[in-house]
Amino acid sequence: MLKGPFLDKDFIGSNKNYDKADIVMLGMPYDCTCTNRAGTRFAPQQIRVESIGIETYSPYFDKDISDIEFFDAGDLEFPFGNAEKMLKITEENVDCIYKDNKKLLGIGGEHLVTLGSIRALKKYYKNIAVVQFDAHTDLRDEYLGEKYTHSGVMKQIANLIGFENIAQIGIRSGEKQEFSLMQKYNTHKFSPAELDIFSDKKIFITIDLDVLDPSLMSGVGTPEAGGMSYIELINWLKYLKKFDITGIDIVELAPDIDTTKTSTATACKLIRECLSIL
Amino acid sequence: MLKGPFLDKDFIGSNKNYDKADIVMLGMPYDCTCTNRAGTRFAPQQIRVESIGIETYSPYFDKDISDIEFFDAGDLEFPFGNAEKMLKITEENVDCIYKDNKKLLGIGGEHLVTLGSIRALKKYYKNIAVVQFDAHTDLRDEYLGEKYTHSGVMKQIANLIGFENIAQIGIRSGEKQEFSLMQKYNTHKFSPAELDIFSDKKIFITIDLDVLDPSLMSGVGTPEAGGMSYIELINWLKYLKKFDITGIDIVELAPDIDTTKTSTATACKLIRECLSIL
Amino acid sequence: MLKGPFLDKDFIGSNKNYDKADIVMLGMPYDCTCTNRAGTRFAPQQIRVESIGIETYSPYFDKDISDIEFFDAGDLEFPFGNAEKMLKITEENVDCIYKDNKKLLGIGGEHLVTLGSIRALKKYYKNIAVVQFDAHTDLRDEYLGEKYTHSGVMKQIANLIGFENIAQIGIRSGEKQEFSLMQKYNTHKFSPAELDIFSDKKIFITIDLDVLDPSLMSGVGTPEAGGMSYIELINWLKYLKKFDITGIDIVELAPDIDTTKTSTATACKLIRECLSIL
Amino acid sequence: MLKGPFLDKDFIGSNKNYDKADIVMLGMPYDCTCTNRAGTRFAPQQIRVESIGIETYSPYFDKDISDIEFFDAGDLEFPFGNAEKMLKITEENVDCIYKDNKKLLGIGGEHLVTLGSIRALKKYYKNIAVVQFDAHTDLRDEYLGEKYTHSGVMKQIANLIGFENIAQIGIRSGEKQEFSLMQKYNTHKFSPAELDIFSDKKIFITIDLDVLDPSLMSGVGTPEAGGMSYIELINWLKYLKKFDITGIDIVELAPDIDTTKTSTATACKLIRECLSIL
Amino acid sequence: MLKGPFLDKDFIGSNKNYDKADIVMLGMPYDCTCTNRAGTRFAPQQIRVESIGIETYSPYFDKDISDIEFFDAGDLEFPFGNAEKMLKITEENVDCIYKDNKKLLGIGGEHLVTLGSIRALKKYYKNIAVVQFDAHTDLRDEYLGEKYTHSGVMKQIANLIGFENIAQIGIRSGEKQEFSLMQKYNTHKFSPAELDIFSDKKIFITIDLDVLDPSLMSGVGTPEAGGMSYIELINWLKYLKKFDITGIDIVELAPDIDTTKTSTATACKLIRECLSIL
Amino acid sequence: MLKGPFLDKDFIGSNKNYDKADIVMLGMPYDCTCTNRAGTRFAPQQIRVESIGIETYSPYFDKDISDIEFFDAGDLEFPFGNAEKMLKITEENVDCIYKDNKKLLGIGGEHLVTLGSIRALKKYYKNIAVVQFDAHTDLRDEYLGEKYTHSGVMKQIANLIGFENIAQIGIRSGEKQEFSLMQKYNTHKFSPAELDIFSDKKIFITIDLDVLDPSLMSGVGTPEAGGMSYIELINWLKYLKKFDITGIDIVELAPDIDTTKTSTATACKLIRECLSIL
């Protein structure tokens, strides 16, 4: 055999043993329903490659992810242009993770992948709440006639777990009717303490990276000015740390759009912070 | 004929009837006096194309531009490298708009186009004030021997309507003499309430997009660090809503510079907000 | 009304009267089955915008497209991620064009759109042959379980009109089985004279722009080195001019990938040449 | 003083003594009449910077430019948007060069600058011929009402020296009337031997870089497919070497458009070859 | 000689006389130890070129750099991949500057160049303190076996002048051990007043541009979200103005990464502000 | 465990068993001596990622790499800025490959890595010839005082195996002395038949990707116009197929420079062709 030393092909700081892992990182490279620029399909690969460039230590959480037992499972292979099949494959694999009593760290792909994860999660836990960080409401019933799109994923999830178990943070774009829905069900949250209603729930956090201001996170399909700073997002995560979190996913990075690679590097660091609170 | 359905070729939410319109959107694709990188000439086209990707509903103003009667007139055709002719064509067309008792939503092009609009406006209203959002003073008497340049447009406008009718917001770049002029005439404003002196005036708002921080708005010829955030600009517009606004223009976007398209998408949203207060 | 002059919003040289037109230019902005980088959905818009920069006169064909009666119908609106509906909409509109006894100049979108056009064409003409310029065979039966993809569009077309009515030019990528199919049916052509077998047919030419070398045409999802030069493609078109051509489409431009805009400008010129031989 | 060593701020291989120089390199950073994308104004600076990366030895001409006496005079400072003043400044400076019995190596800037050089040249030599390498005829009488534009520079030069003293090589774009002019005066040349009619003339070579295929030279305002390869252009220069060349200019590079810097690097090498034949 | 006028080849506002200068601007284009993306070697050249586009007047410090006596010495020439030789050349040249009783304004290149400057500075002043603005601790003992790298430059400087003479501002990335070192020696500072301990020292300020948020300064090898705004950095510099500053360097700009040129333009302005406080 | 299906993390078509492999693919991500733009360090990772997008079947060699037994060993981890250590690590690992009686398919990194491979190869075979495809001679004795640089790698290899065992193809850049060396030793080859002198040798082919014309392969540090087309390179490889090839490396891709990804995709395909002749 070769002597090496070799660079790691997996996310920096991961270990190689699925059985010992508490957390499973799973790539979900699907992007066929995007309504604007595509390319989220390439995110998990580029995140893995770029992760070599970040530090494993998070000064925000004073934690080194080398000390966390997480396994990088690689990327699922999906058919193109078939949302149903994608959802089924995602659900089946996330099902394994929860059956094995582990937690999920999902990496999209477009936001629709979250629906597959929640479908699996729902089989194992009754008392679920989903905390969504996003620029968009994602509450459409359908988009140009299609039901399963990244513009309606939270509506589908609400159908599964109820609007009362959803919190929406950072929202600043949507149709008038979508904003009315948020108001009706009071899902739009503006301060961390509003999340205390979920203190006895199993929390799933879904982070659409466009919740961050496009000045920092330009590598997304639909940049929306007026978003969060990185520190603001970290502060939300610091508050959420005390909750019972069973899974997190980070979606909608389109790495090729931001040729400075700031977006991809920021996603890598955010994954580091998320591993720190899981 | 063809059955369609077809995508709109005009700005999203516009209607097709000039006569019924309260507002006329007019593209002014001129960029021949720029002192740094050019390309503002391509802004109106790209704004129109990119507008398909934004929502017509503004959560900041709780208004849907589909409910506003505005007509997208398309882009004027200008000669190259002849500022005088461009000003004449602009003036003639804006003249029509005010004669027809409508309001202007101009889309540059470089900042010099604003001079053409003010020349027309001045024929119809006596009591005009111009509120400028900009990183630069634009108060030069001349630039390398030329009088009509985007670096001196506000000086030309001041010559027309008087320095006392000008407010300058977000300024952070210029020659020492230009800053002295701002001080002498007290045109540099730092808080919305300072604009109350214009409460009985016909207001024209001119927004040079480089007033925004280049972290968000990098698609401009001369990026100037230390600029406004999108929310700060929205807050100024919220205050201005109560004034009697007769026209707004949005200038100096150079769409090709920012390949992430964040700049163009942000310009589209800002136009949506501007339509909401016109 | 406004005085203008205004820039044209349509493809340069087009006229405004559908009824008088001999040729209808129709945008088909669909890209949901792409197996690599996406973005062909933005091609028709950008081609229209960029067309302003080209000359209407083609020195290759000594013809000015201002002298040709063609109508720019704009872009169809498609649902996302639903190939069947897209094919239906395309077929219905192209049907109108042939019913009105006109010719089609289609602008993709991904290559799958061609199937919709051929379905319509087949209703009006019995004796059809399709001449494909492409880097890829596009002869897959399915791709990751999906039947209607841009990787299998020529297989679907062969099912409709028979392999004997297909010519494939410029092919240099595919699976071993696909190359075997080309050999079996002798569809792979290397010199213009081989096309003479179609001299009594109604010809439809479909040009996947990746037939050109990616040195020139980098704005495609799957760049394949070893392709044609522009002059080589022009020479094929010069030979085809004598045939009875009923339609042409130009597909798979992904304009945002090539930030130099060479790809989009070249597509515009190629459309000019195609108009010249229709 | 500082010890160094220091990198050269001038074009690689240049010497510091104007008086001893046989050739003067002069930057002419003007770009205000461009009809498409601008940015040629930045070419001389970027060429100077990038020149550090090339070899001083040309294997094509077996010559090292370190052995040639040329002086890099730097870049002229022009007013914006004033073609007449630019032409005057250019003429005055090129006048000095010819008065001092040196040769010119001009670096644009847009093609219009050549007119200034020819005006100066004409005072010192009676028997001038201009050999133009270009994708475009540049024979317009006017463009949108303007006389002095880069689209009409050769027409202006023809007015000065007569069509019979003009050769146009690589042309593949223009209006029908412009191609008619070329035909009428037989200025369009296809093989080097056709240039022998100029064997007793003082030759000025003007190279619009878009004569090269945009696959190689994408950093131009108006990329035109179907252009020359680098080797083809070198072969023309090899033939021209035997002529009595009094000046060369290289124009229309827009360095920022080609972020790979292939265009700028190629311009640097072409300048090296041009120095070799001057 | 030529008449001109000519553009300046040096940093805008500089004068041509070394002897009269109070400040020497010196380019240090070295980048061979970078652990992520390279290209800082091109920073001094591009800063010089881009400086033409900025105003010489700083509204933040109400000072015009045309009124400051500074000399732009150009860029040192370094061997590739030999840190020791680079440090020696840097030290020798900075030595000259301090021997001639001037101040240094260094422009990197990677952060390692600062070590050369401090080595020279230490010969002339006993009582030195270094104020570091940076996203990274730069306190590694070694990196992959190498001692002299940009990841360990502050450790090397601490070895020279003692940890008690170091202040670290803006730090948000490093290994756990590096953060422990900062805590142990209390070098991590969060408010300007903490710098008062250095009121009797000779201050050297070293600014790694990645201290700024990558939303503004994306042109760096390792973008770290959560950084300073431009105004925050200006405020630190305003406080530092009263100290006895003997030198400043600005390092780690990789200009080609940020094709919008916002990073380079911002570096130019920051240099203007730094000249204002030297 | 998870059900999958999963995408491959390795080069497409590779198998997972080192012992059964005939060929070992080994990434050598070193780039510290580059004299122009860097970034070759990222090539092996991006090639692996992009390889998913290519077909495993080569129509040029009528071979499917799924039928070839090759193992993707991953990327060596090198120290930064230490050429000697890099060469040692490379040599040790390539040594293993030849000891295990396999062939090498190396992926750079910069061209200097080839020296490590040849050092290892030389221990196992006496009768070695190196066939270099390159734009540059790479025959410098030293570069700015450094001996081990990518500009001198072929000189170092000549010192090991003798100039008579070197063939240089595609060369078009270098110093005058380097061209003299090529002439003296007759290493510069222009047609495949000239390689027959090596018919009884163990051949190592080293392909610096800048041998290809930068129109196609712009993702290199030093683009040199006038290079080979892809088909020309394929034709050389077709001729070389009959030789006894023991190793090939493909170096100097800098993937981030070419944002169209044409360069990386072309490198992937070239690797496919190289696997076909090994």
Side-chain angles (χ1 to χ4, degrees), chain D residues 83-122:
Chain D
E84 286 288 8
K85 281 194 206 159
M86 176 280 286
L87 287 171
K88 187 160 172 293
I89 292 172
T90 302
E91 183 181 345
E92 284 172 356
N93 281 277
V94 176
D95 194 302
C96 297
I97 292 169
Y98 286 112
K99 191 172 58 194
D100 292 345
N101 212 23
K102 300 174 191 302
K103 292 174 174 184
L104 170 69
L105 194 299
I107 303 177
E110 56 161 272
H111 211 160
L112 186 57
V113 301
T114 306
L115 179 58
S117 298
I118 300 298
R119 283 181 181 172
L121 179 62
K122 205 171 171 304

Side-chain angles (χ1 to χ4, degrees), chain D residues 139 163 177-188:
Chain D
L139 290 175
F163 269 103
Q177 303 90 307
E178 295 178 270
F179 273 85
S180 301
L181 264 185
M182 285 206 297
Q183 200 166 13
K184 178 177 173 190
Y185 291 110
N186 189 27
T187 57
H188 204 175

Side-chain angles (χ1 to χ4, degrees), chain E residues 54-86:
Chain E
I54 70 166
E55 303 283 351
T56 53
Y57 173 70
S58 167
Y60 301 106
F61 291 94
D62 189 21
K63 197 151 192 176
D64 195 307
I65 57 171
S66 308
D67 303 331
I68 297 173
E69 299 291 330
F70 74 99
F71 174 79
D72 177 359
D75 300 340
L76 292 172
E77 184 176 37
F78 296 127
F80 291 102
N82 189 320
E84 286 287 10
K85 279 193 206 160
M86 176 279 286

Side-chain angles (χ1 to χ4, degrees), chain B residues 4-5 7 9-10 75 77 93, chain C residues 4-5 7 9-10 75 77 93:
Chain B
L7 291 167
K9 288 179 183 172
D10 298 324
D75 299 341
E77 185 176 36
N93 280 277
Chain C
L7 291 167
K9 288 178 183 173
D10 298 322
D75 299 340
E77 185 176 36
N93 281 277

Side-chain angles (χ1 to χ4, degrees), chain E residues 73-105:
Chain E
D75 300 340
L76 292 172
E77 184 176 37
F78 296 127
F80 291 102
N82 189 320
E84 286 287 10
K85 279 193 206 160
M86 176 279 286
L87 287 170
K88 187 161 173 293
I89 291 171
T90 303
E91 184 181 344
E92 285 173 354
N93 282 277
V94 176
D95 194 303
C96 298
I97 292 169
Y98 285 113
K99 192 171 56 191
D100 292 344
N101 210 24
K102 300 173 191 304
K103 293 176 174 182
L104 170 70
L105 194 300

Side-chain angles (χ1 to χ4, degrees), chain C residues 131-179:
Chain C
V131 176
Q132 169 202 14
F133 292 91
D134 206 326
H136 307 90
T137 60
D138 290 358
L139 291 175
R140 296 197 184 207
D141 261 325
E142 56 161 49
Y143 192 76
L144 292 172
E146 300 303 311
K147 186 175 165 189
Y148 292 126
T149 75
H150 72 159
S151 304
V153 64
M154 290 309 296
K155 187 71 195 321
Q156 296 297 321
I157 290 173
N159 290 346
L160 279 183
I161 65 168
F163 268 103
E164 67 278 11
N165 291 314
I166 284 176
Q168 298 184 286
I169 300 161
I171 312 299
R172 57 197 185 277
S173 180
E175 293 184 317
K176 188 162 188 157
Q177 301 91 304
E178 296 178 271
F179 273 84

Side-chain angles (χ1 to χ4, degrees), chain F:
Chain F
M1 278 301 292
L2 305 187
K3 289 187 56 173
F6 283 100
L7 291 168
D8 200 342
K9 289 179 184 172
D10 298 322
F11 196 93
I12 197 169
S14 62
N15 59 45
K16 303 302 170 208
N17 193 322
Y18 175 83
D19 292 331
K20 285 194 187 156
D22 299 318
I23 302 168
V24 177
M25 182 178 284
L26 183 59
M28 303 164 175
Y30 187 83
D31 72 322
C32 288
T33 75
C34 69
T35 52
N36 213 315
R37 283 169 299 159
T40 62
R41 177 190 330 170
F42 303 110
Q45 291 173 322
Q46 293 300 334
I47 282 173
R48 202 172 285 118
V49 164
E50 190 76 12
S51 75
I52 298 178
I54 69 166
E55 303 282 350
T56 53
Y57 174 72
S58 167
Y60 300 106
F61 292 94
D62 189 19
K63 197 150 191 175
D64 197 307
I65 57 171
S66 308
D67 304 331
I68 296 174
E69 300 291 329
F70 74 99
F71 175 78
D72 177 358
D75 298 341
L76 291 171
E77 184 175 37
F78 295 127
F80 291 101
N82 189 320
E84 286 287 7
K85 280 193 205 161
M86 175 280 286
L87 287 170
K88 189 161 170 294
I89 291 171
T90 302
E91 183 181 346
E92 284 173 357
N93 281 275
V94 176
D95 194 302
C96 298
I97 292 169
Y98 286 113
K99 191 171 57 194
D100 291 344
N101 210 24
K102 299 174 191 302
K103 292 176 173 181
L104 170 70
L105 194 299
I107 303 177
E110 58 161 270
H111 211 161
L112 186 57
V113 301
T114 307
L115 180 58
S117 299
I118 301 298
R119 282 181 181 171
L121 180 63
K122 206 173 172 302
K123 298 183 204 163
Y124 293 89
Y125 300 107
K126 290 277 161 294
N127 209 9
I128 303 169
V130 172
V131 176
Q132 171 203 11
F133 292 92
D134 206 327
H136 307 90
T137 60
D138 289 358
L139 291 175
R140 296 197 184 207
D141 260 326
E142 56 163 49
Y143 191 76
L144 292 173
E146 301 302 310
K147 187 176 166 188
Y148 293 125
T149 75
H150 72 160
S151 303
V153 63
M154 289 310 295
K155 186 71 196 317
Q156 296 298 321
I157 289 173
N159 290 348
L160 277 183
I161 66 168
F163 269 102
E164 67 279 11
N165 292 313
I166 284 176
Q168 298 183 286
I169 300 160
I171 312 299
R172 57 195 183 277
S173 181
E175 293 183 316
K176 187 162 188 157
Q177 303 91 306
E178 296 177 90
F179 274 84
S180 300
L181 263 184
M182 285 206 296
Q183 198 167 16
K184 179 177 171 190
Y185 292 110
N186 190 27
T187 57
H188 204 175
K189 307 299 184 191
F190 300 91
S191 70
E194 293 181 74
L195 301 178
D196 288 346
I197 52 169
F198 296 155
S199 61
D200 63 338
K201 305 253 177 182
K202 291 282 179 185
I203 305 288
F204 189 95
I205 301 172
T206 182
I207 303 176
D208 184 324
L209 286 165
D210 65 20
V211 73
L212 291 167
D213 196 72
S215 58
L216 179 66
M217 182 58 63
S218 58
V220 294
T222 315
E224 298 281 347
M228 268 185 205
S229 74
Y230 191 69
I231 298 297
E232 287 174 296
L233 181 51
I234 293 289
N235 286 338
W236 280 92
L237 295 182
K238 281 182 175 171
Y239 194 86
L240 278 161
K241 199 181 167 185
K242 65 177 182 187
F243 288 79
D244 183 7
I245 306 169
T246 63
I248 304 180
D249 65 15
I250 289 166
V251 299
E252 294 284 347
L253 174 71
D256 292 345
I257 291 174
D258 179 4
T259 56
T260 73
K261 302 208 179 175
T262 299
S263 299
T264 305
T266 301
C268 289
K269 274 157 214 158
L270 191 57
I271 289 169
R272 181 185 68 192
E273 325 300 13
C274 286
L275 286 167
S276 300
I277 66 168
L278 255 183

